[in-house]
Amino acid sequence: MKKLRLGILISGRGSNLNALINACQKTCFPAAIAIVISNKSDASGLEHAKKAQLKTKVIQHEDYPDRETFDKEIYNSLILENVDLICLAGFMRLLSKWFVEKWPSKLLNIHPSLLPSFKGLDAIAQTINSGVKVSGCTVHFVVPEMDEGPIIMQAAVPVLNDDSVETLSARILAAEHKCYPKAVELIARRQLSVSNKKVIDQNNYSLPNSLFNPPID
Ligand code: GAR
């Protein structure tokens, strides 16, 4: 089976990129990374890509007069690499409607909350301030509206009494690193379809080792 070609967009640390790199290094994984694009030249995540000898490109939004010109440069770079699927992995820049609509069901994002709760920036601080007892992460298809779009996969994580932004982020991030490669794999294996804004998983997949066992008898 031909491997799906991934374009990965980052802005920072790139731990989700690293999880995808590790998955793609397995022979049986049905996707390969074609290019990693960062909108920040100092994104430490670029190091993961370089270490794995992947093609990288820095496209800094400051160098472009407006959002659309910046997005067109990203679009052209992805087209040149013949990518089949784009993964936003901590890419902290809103993409224009023009860009998003070029990739229907081909543009994914990961967000550190159980969407539709706690959209936008500071999702973890919003979570802690709200007092919810369960949070988690969401992988979803991107639509022009921020942090909306059909949900592909979620994993739940407990919120503990003494959690700080750092401790809860670390617990959610561990879940993200399992979900993102799994979501890519399900897409590559053509197991998902979208109907009525909902993602249908033909095999009703759920994460095998439940990340969160509710303490309920
Ligand atoms: C991740 O927690 C990701 O869910 C979040 O940024 C972090 C990036 O970490 N994304 C968003 O908040 C998007 N709205 P990483 O650079 O180590 O992958």
Side-chain angles (χ1 to χ4, degrees), residues 44-116:
S44 55
L46 286 168
E47 293 310 314
H48 294 301
K50 287 178 186 154
K51 205 167 148 207
Q53 296 181 314
L54 296 171
K55 180 162 195 170
T56 61
K57 189 161 185 182
V58 173
I59 302 176
Q60 301 198 94
H61 53 266
E62 297 91 350
D63 297 341
Y64 296 83
D66 50 47
R67 193 178 293 277
E68 195 131 304
T69 328
F70 167 72
D71 286 3
K72 280 198 172 130
E73 185 64 30
I74 295 187
Y75 175 80
N76 290 337
S77 305
L78 294 165
I79 289 289
L80 266 179
E81 293 301 328
N82 275 317
V83 305
D84 303 302
L85 191 69
I86 301 156
C87 299
L88 306 183
F91 184 70
M92 302 312 245
R93 185 97 192 140
L94 265 186
L95 290 160
S96 60
K97 190 167 184 283
W98 173 85
F99 182 93
V100 171
E101 288 178 348
K102 290 277 182 199
W103 311 95
S105 298
K106 289 186 170 175
L107 180 54
L108 309 186
N109 183 40
I110 188 154
H111 185 76
S113 76
L114 293 176
L115 289 173

Side-chain angles (χ1 to χ4, degrees), residues 11-51:
S11 298
R13 174 182 56 186
S15 69
N16 278 290
L17 162 66
N18 200 36
L20 289 165
I21 290 174
N22 290 336
C24 289
Q25 281 170 347
K26 295 184 185 131
T27 328
C28 57
F29 194 74
I33 299 172
I35 187 166
V36 175
I37 299 177
S38 172
N39 68 322
K40 303 254 181 204
S41 57
D42 60 354
S44 55
L46 286 168
E47 293 310 314
H48 294 301
K50 287 178 186 154
K51 205 167 148 207

